[in-house]
Amino acid sequence: MSHQPLLAVIVPVYKVEDYLRPCVDSILSQSYSNLRIILVDDGSPDGCGAICDAYAEQDPRVLSVHKENGGLSSARNFGLQYTEGCEYIAFVDSDDSIEPDIYEAAISYLEVHADVDIVGYGINEIRADGKFYCGEKEGRLFSREEALAELVQGFSFKVGPSAWSKVYRASAIGAIRFREGYVYEDNSFSLEVFNKINSYYLLPKGGYNYLLYREGAITSGFDTRMACLFDNIEDLQRRHADDATLCLYANTMAVNYLWMYWYQLYGAFVHKGQEAKYREITSAFLPYLKRARQRPFLNVIGTRVHSLKTWLFLHAPYTYTRINLR
């Protein structure tokens, strides 16, 4: 690639002192070299801020910025302020890392295919017993409608909601920002971005190394904060009430994620004799479930049996889950 467009890589940093260096080193060692690595110290109380500053002193591609603690969304949005002049944008969480050639592969494809706005890639789950690839064996081009349908399923590795498994054209993100003050913000952000793209391409390779179950990670375990995911989706619907298509996909995402979480929570707690905990957590989802069943949604699976199962779940979630998972 004779001309390398500038890629901004935004890394929110908070209480990851033991993981930060491997993360930043994996970005600096990319075969794609025209980078602006934006390390956002989100008011971290440990030595992370000093580590960020040290990297900025060592490499001119690194920008270290500091702010008061505001959470992951706030840090990502803060980093987006420093992407002017960058043609592409990527996100990396500071306790993870990336494969050395993934940005070159993604941008090479984007540079040749002007109609593609986002390139995604598979993830490697880093577990205690090894590294496991979660992705596809063959690349695939998705139209906007195909990508949206895949995204809202809630159980697809082809078009997952995570912001960190993709390289975006800066124009695809535009003025869209993450919702601040809430966790599980990637879903609504991705849905809003995918709603305006032309097409999406999935690379058939693992590019992102995702560390499972780090102590203190906000995605570890189950708790009532999961309700934030559905609150974020409803906020998206409120903000775009005049966009019937986006609201349809948003409610479809809500329905499918409610279904998925109900299953996961049943398996995590009821099968272990902790039904009270299961009821406590799922009760936080009930208001969202009641509103979701009153709004239109798509049957992205397509079968009549699935449609009937979805109706039963939305109207009697505890009965449906108990019958199907007994």
Side-chain angles (χ1 to χ4, degrees), residues 21-22 56 68 90 107 121 126 140 149 156 165 168 178 189 204 299:
R21 289 184 180 88
E68 293 183 0
I107 294 178
Y121 29 84
I126 309 302
R140 179 180 167 184
S156 172
S165 60
Y168 304 80
F178 295 88
F189 172 83
N299 177 3

Side-chain angles (χ1 to χ4, degrees), residues 13-29:
V13 177
Y14 184 74
K15 294 177 70 173
V16 286
E17 202 168 5
D18 294 337
Y19 306 91
L20 182 56
R21 289 184 180 88
C23 171
V24 179
D25 289 344
S26 74
I27 304 171
L28 288 170
S29 61

Side-chain angles (χ1 to χ4, degrees), residues 98-217:
I98 53 175
E99 291 295 300
D101 63 345
I102 193 59
Y103 288 157
E104 183 174 9
I107 294 178
S108 293
Y109 191 92
L110 286 162
E111 285 291 281
V112 174
H113 301 86
D115 58 323
V116 176
D117 296 296
I118 304 172
V119 165
Y121 29 84
I123 66 173
N124 301 310
E125 290 188 348
I126 309 302
R127 310 174 189 170
D129 55 343
K131 181 177 179 179
F132 298 86
Y133 173 58
C134 300
E136 299 297 307
K137 294 181 179 179
E138 297 181 358
R140 179 180 167 184
L141 180 66
F142 292 78
S143 68
R144 169 183 166 275
E145 292 76 14
E146 290 171 336
L148 283 167
E150 197 76 27
L151 176 65
V152 301
Q153 282 188 24
F155 42 81
S156 172
F157 283 112
K158 298 175 183 176
V159 190
S162 301
W164 37 252
S165 60
K166 305 167 182 67
V167 171
Y168 304 80
R169 292 191 191 274
S171 57
I173 295 177
I176 297 172
R177 294 295 182 265
F178 295 88
R179 190 184 187 204
E180 299 188 17
Y182 295 80
V183 293
Y184 301 104
E185 63 288 313
D186 281 16
N187 296 69
S188 55
F189 172 83
S190 294
L191 187 53
E192 191 170 3
V193 172
F194 272 85
N195 187 54
K196 54 178 282 194
I197 67 169
N198 293 307
S199 57
Y200 164 88
Y201 184 74
L202 175 67
L203 289 169
K205 61 188 303 179
Y208 193 91
N209 299 316
Y210 177 71
L211 181 63
L212 281 182
Y213 308 127
R214 175 178 69 83
E215 185 178 354

Side-chain angles (χ1 to χ4, degrees), residues 32-97:
Y32 192 88
S33 60
N34 196 19
L35 305 170
R36 180 183 298 168
I37 304 168
I38 306 165
L39 304 180
V40 184
D41 169 25
D42 189 34
S44 188
D46 54 13
C48 284
I51 296 173
C52 292
D53 290 341
Y55 272 105
E57 292 176 3
Q58 296 165 10
D59 195 310
R61 296 176 298 171
V62 178
L63 177 64
S64 176
V65 296
H66 306 267
K67 61 182 288 296
E68 293 183 0
N69 179 248
L72 181 63
S73 292
S74 174
R76 285 173 171 173
N77 290 342
F78 194 81
L80 284 167
Q81 298 178 54
Y82 297 90
T83 60
E84 184 176 356
C86 298
E87 296 180 50
Y88 300 105
I89 296 174
F91 300 92
V92 177
D93 285 356
S94 50
D95 52 353
D96 298 324
S97 63

Side-chain angles (χ1 to χ4, degrees), residues 237 244 247-252 255 292-298:
Q237 291 171 288
C247 288
L248 178 63
Y249 280 109
N251 198 49
T252 304
V255 168
R293 73 186 180 210
Q294 296 169 0
R295 300 169 177 148
F297 58 89
L298 295 168

